[in-house]
Each structure stands twice: as C-alpha cells, then as structure tokens.
Amino acid sequence: MTAPTSTSKAVCLLSGGLDSATCLALARREGYACYALSFDYGQRHRVELEAAARVAAAFGAERHMVARIGLDAFGGSALTADIAVPKGRSTADMGHGIPSTYVPARNTIFLSFALAWAEVLGSSDIFIGVNALDYSGYPDCRPEYIEAYERMANLATKAGVEGRARLKIHTPLLRLNKAQIVKLAQELGVPFGLTHSCYDPGPDGRACGQCDACLLRAKGFLEAGLEDR
Ligand code: ZN
C-alpha cells in the first residue's frame, strides 16, 4: 500500500457507530485528510447522525456531508419500515441467516455516493468500517463483496479508465472481532460516549440494550475488558 502524502484525501463512511468512528480514526492516523460521509436514509435510528457529526468534529474531518437518500420510500427493512427490530438474539442466532435489519443494497448505495464524492475530490481512497466476523450476516459486509465493488469502481470512473488513479476501498476492520475493534478504538482515543450503535433507540436517544447492534457492542466491551462509557 502506498503511504498517503500530506495531501491525500480519503472519503470515510461514517454512521456514527463505534466501527465507523474507529475506521475514521485509523484513516486520520494514516495521515489522510478525511471527508466524512453520512446518510439520512430514513433510518429509525436517525439519532446516529448526531453521533456522526460529533465524531467527525472530534477527529478533525475536513468536511462532514450528510446525504439524504430516503430508502424508507422502499422500506423492506426493520430499519426503514414499520417492522419490529429483533431483540434479545443469541450470538448463535446472529450467526446464520440475514436478519430483518438488513437494508436492501445499503452498502452498494453508500459506496456509490462515496465513489462519486471521491472522484470529485480527486481522492483514490474510501474507508468503510465493514466487519466480516462479529456482524449480523449482511451480504454487503463480506470481503468478496468489497473486492467485487472495488473492481467495478475502477471500471466505472473517469480516473480509473484513464489510468490516472486506482481506487482502493480500505476495510481495516474487516477481519477483527468486536473485542479487537473496541481495543483498537481505545488505542486510537475514540470517545466511546460520542458514538451511537443502537438500531432502536428510545425517544430520548438512549440505546435499547437488546437489538443486535447493542448486544454485539456489549459483547465486544465485555470481551475487551473495557467499560462502555
Ligand atoms: Zn439497541
């Protein structure tokens, strides 16, 4: 991997959760000027956008853009339609099948927006905090998906076709478990309290403690021996 120059720009997808915050912190540590990108996609946990803004400011992102894309017009997910968010699932339950919190084509859409912004910025680097180990079975978080997307992106862009730059999708968390991500976040100084993971927060924005995102987060902190402040 080529080391970034002082002017290297990266587009960092930022949901406001712990993983994407850690991913942004890593991009900053590697020396990239970070352009944070979040989505108001009609998610029930829209409060995560406030967390994203806090995290972007805390890590000195050059800009923080919130794109409005209204995936709730289609629905089809517990996060974008009136479908109950699964609660209290065991790790074994989370280990097979694709849950109702899967949002159809979400990462494909997010990465396409990131790709568009990267091309405008003259950036060849996109960071996304996907994880293939402690994740909820989403097909668009798998390594083979990311590899295929990167190949497609280099066929799709002007910079790629003209051979001026090769776009790289950075997935530094891909093969870490949740406890390793928590430890890495701690090492990078990610302020845990600024992040938001819950899929189904209460009206006051507090985490439910029982959705897959809450349970995976709690498991990660427990296994890392750290307190989630
Ligand atoms: Zn929750």
Side-chain angles (χ1 to χ4, degrees):
M1 190 171 70
T2 323
T5 67
S6 60
T7 53
S8 288
K9 297 172 181 173
V11 175
C12 300
L13 292 174
L14 183 67
S15 70
L18 185 62
D19 293 5
S20 67
T22 305
C23 202
L24 172 65
L26 270 172
R28 288 288 292 139
R29 189 175 71 175
E30 287 181 23
Y32 288 96
C34 294
Y35 290 76
L37 180 57
S38 305
F39 295 88
D40 182 352
Y41 62 94
Q43 66 271 52
R44 68 165 70 221
H45 54 314
R46 199 172 173 279
V47 65
E48 70 175 0
L49 293 173
E50 292 166 23
R54 292 193 294 264
V55 169
F59 283 96
E62 301 293 318
R63 282 183 67 190
H64 177 220
M65 174 104 69
V66 179
R68 285 180 184 78
I69 55 176
L71 292 180
D72 54 332
F74 304 136
S77 164
L79 300 189
T80 57
D82 196 11
I83 298 170
V85 172
K87 299 283 170 78
R89 300 208 302 154
S90 66
T91 315
D93 285 344
M94 290 183 214
H96 36 77
I98 299 172
S100 59
T101 50
Y102 165 67
V103 179
R106 182 173 56 182
N107 280 348
T108 303
I109 294 163
F110 287 5
L111 281 169
S112 296
F113 271 68
L115 181 59
W117 200 16
E119 197 164 14
V120 172
L121 290 168
S123 161
S124 304
D125 299 277
I126 293 173
F127 280 75
I128 180 169
V130 290
N131 181 250
L133 289 180
D134 279 344
Y135 76 119
S136 293
Y138 298 152
D140 52 359
C141 289
R142 294 174 302 153
E144 52 268 51
Y145 163 77
I146 296 293
E147 283 160 22
Y149 193 98
E150 188 178 286
R151 276 201 307 281
M152 184 282 291
N154 282 294
L155 294 173
T157 57
K158 188 164 186 263
V161 169
E162 292 175 352
R164 284 184 284 111
R166 179 155 181 87
L167 183 103
K168 165 88 185 150
I169 300 178
H170 301 254
T171 55
L173 311 185
L174 191 65
R175 300 187 190 279
L176 301 185
N177 64 32
K178 209 68 174 178
Q180 290 170 316
I181 294 171
V182 169
K183 284 183 188 157
L184 180 59
Q186 163 102 338
E187 182 195 318
L188 291 164
V190 174
F192 300 135
L194 296 190
T195 65
H196 173 94
S197 298
C198 179
Y199 288 147
D200 192 22
D204 56 355
R206 288 181 73 88
C208 77
Q210 289 299 316
C211 70
D212 289 3
C214 281
L215 292 173
L216 284 171
R217 179 172 175 137
K219 178 174 172 281
F221 275 90
L222 184 71
E223 288 173 7
L226 290 168
E227 193 190 341
D228 191 0
R229 294 178 298 282

